[in-house]
Amino acid sequence: MNTFAFMIHPIEIGDIARKFGPLGKLPPRLVESLFKYAPPLKVSQITGVRSKHAQTEGWFVACPITSRLMIDLPEEYVIKKIIKTGKLAQKLGAKILGLGAFTSVVGDAGITIDKNLDIAVTTGNSYTVATAVEGAREAAALMGHNLKRCHAVVVGATGSIGRVCASLLARDVHALTLVAREKTRLEELAHRITYESGVAPRITSDIRHALHNAQIVITVTSAVDTIIGAEDLMPGAVVCDVSRPRNVSREVAEKRNDVLVIEGGVVEVPGQVNFNFNFGFPPGMSYACMAETMMLSMEGRYESFSLGRDMSLQQVEEISALARKHGFKLAGFRSFERAVTREQIARIRENARHALNTPRAK
């Protein structure tokens, strides 16, 4: 039997209280501090993943550390906790382990974890890139944008996901801006993209300046707090937020009816999948990183696929081909845990048109 496991962790303190109700009565920071000493958990069994070619089943396993603690605690401590959770996946019978959320970015992005386990490991980043760019392209078209005339911005461009997203977008858009903190790495990436595509990206560490005239934004940083607010975006902007925790503030949804924010990497899983755990998605849908783990298992490819920070376009194209083979596909659009219909997108598009044609008050 093809088997897999996928590692999750509490994104924020409230996630612990929702899973373990009585803990919600304690002070949140106390709960967070206590929970980090808990052992790894088997959360649920996943069944019903099936295509016309193969099937698989697996488990959610949880590493009991919040996103904030994964940043604040010593890296060695965090990696040991992740490895211990991976050992639980091995014990359950998984043959490949997917790393979710911050477990995929701490340290060397899965390489050390892979070396300390007897099963294959993937971050799922290759299919996350594929679906993020596909989603951004489709959403931009629905918003009436011609990609060849668009200015696109990639926030977190020097990360493993951001680099490949930038390379893919460079093939389609008129102008590209890369945003990250380290100037040297930005310059190296910009030079490579220019060589590959002929597009000469701008580079900056100033997010707000980069965003003020961007029609398309893909944001994929490891920031714990939101970094994009309601005043940062132009009317009609399409923002694909791949990060967890989110990079885009919820106030964008509350205050800007002329901007489309979508979640990156929401995928329809083939078969009659039952996750036996509510992680905020409708039935039958998963994150792209989960989907990559499943499709590698269905192929019997128990190899470490997306690891480290040097992901290639070839990997993205290869995993996209596996997705087509087994019937994994982009599952429409979601924004802040809710589905976004084409009718809603049409209203956002009209609001943006009106905002762009209305002179701003001085």
Side-chain angles (χ1 to χ4, degrees):
M1 180 66 184
N2 295 326
T3 56
F4 69 94
F6 191 81
M7 192 180 302
I8 60 177
H9 70 89
I11 301 296
E12 53 192 24
I13 303 172
D15 293 335
I16 300 173
R18 281 191 289 274
K19 178 66 177 174
F20 302 96
L23 292 177
K25 298 177 182 179
L26 298 175
R29 285 297 171 90
L30 175 61
V31 173
E32 185 179 39
S33 296
L34 292 174
F35 202 69
K36 72 182 181 184
Y37 298 109
L41 305 170
K42 170 191 161 186
V43 176
S44 70
Q45 186 168 7
I46 302 166
T47 60
V49 183
R50 181 190 298 267
S51 74
K52 63 181 180 180
H53 302 288
Q55 64 185 70
T56 187
E57 63 181 39
W59 300 268
F60 278 131
V61 292
C63 182
I65 311 178
T66 63
S67 303
R68 187 185 71 83
L69 289 182
M70 286 197 178
I71 297 297
D72 291 348
L73 289 172
E75 185 177 288
E76 183 179 359
Y77 176 88
V78 175
I79 289 176
K80 283 183 178 179
K81 293 285 283 190
I82 294 172
I83 292 170
K84 191 173 182 180
T85 309
K87 299 279 190 184
L88 172 60
Q90 282 183 193
K91 187 176 179 180
L92 289 168
K95 299 173 185 174
I96 186 169
L97 171 67
L99 301 176
F102 268 57
T103 68
S104 68
V105 298
V106 295
D108 50 16
I111 293 174
T112 297
I113 296 160
D114 179 54
K115 289 178 180 177
N116 284 273
L117 295 177
D118 297 325
I119 58 176
V121 177
T122 186
T123 62
N125 284 348
S126 296
Y127 196 47
T128 296
V129 167
T131 55
V133 175
E134 181 185 355
R137 287 169 175 158
E138 186 175 328
L142 290 172
M143 286 289 289
H145 296 309
N146 180 341
L147 289 177
K148 294 297 183 184
R149 298 179 181 176
C150 281
H151 171 211
V153 172
V154 179
V155 183
T158 55
S160 58
I161 295 177
R163 283 203 313 273
V164 184
C165 284
S167 295
L168 288 170
L169 279 177
R171 300 172 174 179
D172 299 325
V173 298
H174 171 68
L176 179 65
T177 298
L178 311 176
V179 182
R181 288 177 293 185
E182 295 184 31
K183 184 178 179 181
T184 301
R185 293 176 67 192
L186 276 173
E187 289 173 340
E188 291 172 353
L189 176 60
H191 178 75
R192 192 182 78 190
I193 289 174
T194 301
Y195 176 78
E196 292 173 346
S197 68
V199 172
R202 305 165 192 161
I203 62 171
T204 183
S205 60
D206 187 336
I207 296 175
R208 287 177 172 80
H209 183 264
L211 296 180
H212 79 277
N213 65 348
Q215 290 89 5
I216 300 172
V217 180
I218 293 182
T219 181
V220 52
T221 80
S222 55
V224 175
D225 299 314
T226 57
I227 56 175
I228 298 176
E231 303 305 317
D232 298 332
L233 299 161
M234 67 173 288
V238 173
V239 186
C240 181
D241 191 347
V242 184
S243 301
R244 291 297 176 273
R246 289 185 188 84
N247 287 167
V248 180
S249 170
R250 189 173 287 274
E251 73 170 5
V252 175
E254 296 168 350
K255 297 180 179 180
R256 295 294 302 273
N257 65 359
D258 58 351
V259 168
L260 176 60
V261 179
I262 60 174
E263 297 172 357
V266 182
V267 173
E268 182 178 323
V269 179
Q272 299 294 321
V273 61
N274 187 349
F275 292 107
N276 291 299
F277 176 69
N278 180 10
F279 53 93
F281 279 20
M285 296 187 190
S286 78
Y287 288 112
C289 49
M290 297 178 187
E292 178 174 311
T293 310
M294 295 177 209
M295 66 180 78
L296 288 170
S297 177
M298 293 170 88
E299 281 288 294
R301 289 184 57 170
Y302 298 119
E303 59 191 71
S304 297
F305 193 80
S306 301
L307 286 183
R309 310 199 186 279
D310 294 317
M311 187 169 48
S312 68
L313 287 172
Q314 181 180 347
Q315 285 175 287
V316 174
E317 291 164 355
E318 186 176 356
I319 205 70
S320 296
L322 289 184
R324 290 190 293 272
K325 173 181 175 179
H326 290 289
F328 292 85
K329 57 186 178 181
L330 195 68
F333 301 108
R334 289 175 63 77
S335 180
F336 296 96
E337 286 93 36
R338 294 185 178 181
V340 180
T341 66
R342 293 192 174 225
E343 290 76 17
Q344 289 172 316
I345 294 173
R347 287 196 294 271
I348 294 170
R349 176 177 174 175
E350 180 59 26
N351 292 335
R353 186 194 64 79
H354 180 75
L356 288 168
N357 290 331
T358 301
R360 295 185 180 183
K362 294 183 179 179

